Amino acid sequence: MHKIKPITGAFIIAQGLLLAGLAQAAATPEEIARLGNDLTCVGAEKAGNADGSITAWTGKWLGAPDGMELNTTGAHPQNPYADDKPLFVITAANMAEHADRLSAGQKALFETYPDTFRIPVYETRRDFRFADTVCQATLENAKSARVVSDGEGVEGTTGGILFPFPKTGLELMWTSSFFTFRPWTEEYISDNAYVLNNGRINWGRVHSRNLAPPLQPGKIGTTAGQSSFYLNETLLPQRDRGEVNTGMEFFDHAKEPRQSWRYDPGTRRVRQSPEYGYDMQFPGSGGSITVDEVRIFNGSGQRYNWNIVGKQEMYIPSNAYAIHSPDLNYGELLPPGHANPEHMRYELRRVWVLEANIKDNYRHLYTKRHMYVDEDSWLMIMGDNYDARGGLWRTSMVNYYYAPEAQTWQAGVGLYHDLQARSYLAFNLVNEQPKGYTLNQGGLSPRDFGPEAARRAGR
């Protein structure tokens, strides 16, 4: 059992930071003036760190990098850093030398798999930028965005980052989980591998469609109506083939909670799934992850008190192109214990550390959670989840890469480790699929989601 340990390391605490609560603190004129100057237009520090181990942000590319053609959407990602080699590799033997820049979950993986787990560290690459419309919407949010409905909703400008200067845990949670700038449309068939401690793999396969109308490129709007839609059709395992889960999200969970429906191929009926989320088992995961654990955290944060711990330099998965290569087969990628480290890429980056603690009179499988948010993209990259006895139970990471066709970052394979069962889930694999993630192609509308869409998909 891994007990909770305090986060260590030199923290760069934002001046004037309020660590908890619902207090609203709009960005000051001095903060706003920094956007696009010493900070990127979404609030990340442009400068590298003191010793140069974090490089300065260049923002030299929007869309396809120099020397590379724009991907046909649906192709597997091209790696602009294919010639990079690791600067060094962290192992169980030298972990103590890097402890201040490792999460509790990473340390636990070294302790659990001392002979095989490694962290190959590459040069920090900060070469991509957001489109001007994202910068514009972010600027508007810095001036006026706010949390409403006792933390259950937000009001702001869509098409950008919500709180580039988060003052409370709730502001950071909303910015990095619900209000990220991600592709407008996604469609893909992906494989899910639940790797047991004996090496046996339980396989799943899902056809996923996602739509976020407010994120259509170049669009700037308000937090009204639906924020996003999803539909997941199970293809494997065979016993669940034909099951469909679909739903929609809104900008205020108190006024308009998530709506979800499930089509059961056995009865050929569609039923509403009330309160789909929180610590319900995610369909097709073998109980290895909760619904609100996908992409580290999603949905309502009602059951937790949220606190900003600070900013820290940490080794996190980044520019994760190689792990999605069609030249990499699952047999090589998915040994027992954890994914093959040879195909991972970690970089030293500044992250916001966000903590969630279960509220009195609420329940969840996880009583404490730590989430690590990349400053450049505002995406949750890693998460540590603790059980009711205070033990570190599960640790997770999502491998993001920049998708030129969408001009933003795409969530690739997620790796969800159960430290007690010594198993892990590799989620949203596309290596052995003929196509990768089809992004920003359009062609989806609200009509393609909801109960009627579930009935049509299930026929």
Side-chain angles (χ1 to χ4, degrees):
M1 180 72 68
H2 301 276
K3 297 297 181 182
I4 296 175
K5 298 177 182 178
I7 298 177
T8 59
F11 288 94
I12 310 164
I13 305 297
Q15 292 183 351
L17 195 65
L18 297 180
L19 295 182
L22 298 175
Q24 300 300 305
T28 66
E30 292 77 17
E31 287 173 326
I32 292 172
R34 298 179 65 192
L35 294 176
N37 290 301
D38 66 305
L39 303 180
T40 69
C41 75
V42 297
E45 298 175 49
K46 284 186 178 180
N49 63 355
D51 65 7
S53 52
I54 294 178
T55 55
W57 178 85
T58 70
K60 62 184 179 181
W61 294 329
L62 176 66
D66 294 344
M68 295 181 67
E69 294 184 4
L70 185 65
N71 249 348
T72 301
T73 190
H76 291 81
Q78 301 178 71
N79 187 355
Y81 308 121
D83 294 334
D84 284 5
K85 304 298 181 186
L87 302 175
F88 57 92
V89 178
I90 304 173
T91 67
N94 65 8
M95 177 186 73
E97 301 172 21
H98 305 277
D100 286 354
R101 290 171 166 176
L102 298 174
S103 70
Q106 289 171 323
K107 294 173 185 177
L109 288 169
F110 278 120
E111 294 169 6
T112 305
Y113 308 105
D115 297 328
T116 57
F117 186 70
R118 302 188 303 279
I119 291 181
V121 178
Y122 289 76
E123 178 182 350
T124 305
R125 299 284 197 170
R126 305 175 66 200
D127 295 326
F128 295 100
R129 68 182 185 274
F130 285 109
D132 290 345
T133 52
V134 178
C135 300
Q136 180 183 346
T138 301
L139 178 61
E140 292 302 315
N141 282 326
K143 298 174 181 177
S144 60
R146 64 193 187 110
V147 175
V148 297
S149 298
D150 292 327
E152 280 288 89
V154 290
E155 293 178 355
T157 301
T158 60
I161 301 302
L162 186 60
F163 294 108
F165 301 98
K167 302 296 196 300
T168 69
L170 276 169
E171 289 183 354
L172 180 55
M173 182 274 288
W174 274 98
T175 299
S176 58
S177 66
F178 188 89
F179 217 93
T180 56
F181 189 78
R182 59 191 188 277
W184 161 50
T185 64
E186 296 175 289
E187 185 167 3
Y188 51 90
I189 293 176
S190 62
D191 297 306
N192 299 324
Y194 184 31
V195 186
L196 305 180
N197 62 357
N198 61 5
R200 187 167 67 87
I201 299 179
N202 294 334
W203 289 100
R205 182 171 294 160
V206 178
H207 183 186
S208 300
R209 306 170 185 86
N210 300 309
L211 168 67
L215 297 181
Q216 186 172 352
K219 182 177 181 179
I220 295 177
T222 60
T223 47
Q226 295 98 332
S227 64
S228 60
F229 302 82
Y230 66 90
L231 187 145
N232 299 315
E233 179 184 356
T234 300
L235 306 179
L236 288 177
Q238 194 64 39
R239 65 178 180 274
D240 298 326
R241 184 177 178 86
E243 179 181 313
V244 177
N245 289 276
T246 184
M248 60 191 70
E249 301 266 10
F250 300 85
F251 290 102
D252 191 320
H253 301 305
K255 293 181 179 178
E256 295 176 295
R258 172 186 285 167
Q259 296 183 25
S260 299
W261 297 267
R262 175 180 176 271
Y263 172 80
D264 180 356
T267 62
R268 296 190 177 185
R269 296 186 63 183
V270 175
R271 289 188 170 89
Q272 192 156 18
S273 303
E275 293 210 5
Y276 177 75
Y278 301 109
D279 55 357
M280 293 176 61
Q281 293 184 7
F282 189 83
S285 71
S288 59
I289 60 173
T290 63
V291 170
D292 70 2
E293 193 176 356
V294 174
R295 300 192 186 186
I296 309 301
F297 182 83
N298 71 87
S300 169
Q302 180 186 37
R303 298 186 182 184
Y304 293 99
N305 292 312
W306 297 87
N307 303 290
I308 298 176
V309 178
K311 275 178 88 175
Q312 183 180 0
E313 295 178 359
M314 294 185 67
Y315 297 113
I316 64 172
S318 187
N319 288 309
Y321 296 92
I323 196 172
H324 301 102
S325 170
D327 298 326
L328 176 61
N329 64 60
Y330 296 149
E332 183 181 355
L333 178 61
L334 304 173
H338 52 80
N340 187 336
E342 290 184 13
H343 308 292
M344 296 288 292
R345 179 185 176 117
Y346 295 82
E347 297 179 359
L348 182 63
R349 287 179 167 266
R350 298 185 192 97
V351 301
W352 291 87
V353 183
L354 176 64
E355 182 178 271
N357 290 284
I358 197 73
K359 291 178 179 177
D360 294 339
N361 302 319
Y362 281 86
R363 61 163 298 280
H364 195 286
L365 287 177
Y366 306 140
T367 57
K368 180 186 287 287
R369 304 169 82 151
H370 283 147
M371 297 139 201
Y372 305 93
V373 180
D374 172 51
E375 72 162 347
D376 286 329
S377 64
W378 289 101
L379 294 166
M380 289 184 178
I381 305 296
M382 301 193 306
D384 293 336
N385 299 316
Y386 295 81
D387 63 21
R389 295 175 293 177
L392 178 55
W393 179 7
R394 291 170 173 168
T395 186
S396 52
M397 60 191 79
V398 178
N399 290 272
Y400 280 89
Y401 67 92
Y402 184 86
E405 65 270 36
Q407 296 187 353
T408 191
W409 283 264
Q410 168 64 13
V413 59
L415 300 171
Y416 299 84
H417 305 86
D418 188 321
L419 297 165
Q420 298 173 15
R422 297 173 67 93
S423 61
Y424 70 100
L425 176 70
F427 184 75
N428 277 355
L429 295 157
V430 294
N431 307 69
E432 295 189 12
Q433 288 296 324
K435 298 179 67 175
Y437 309 100
T438 299
L439 308 175
N440 279 22
Q441 183 171 274
L444 296 175
S445 73
R447 183 180 179 276
D448 297 309
F449 305 88
E452 292 304 317
R455 289 188 182 93
R456 292 194 299 270
R459 289 173 184 167

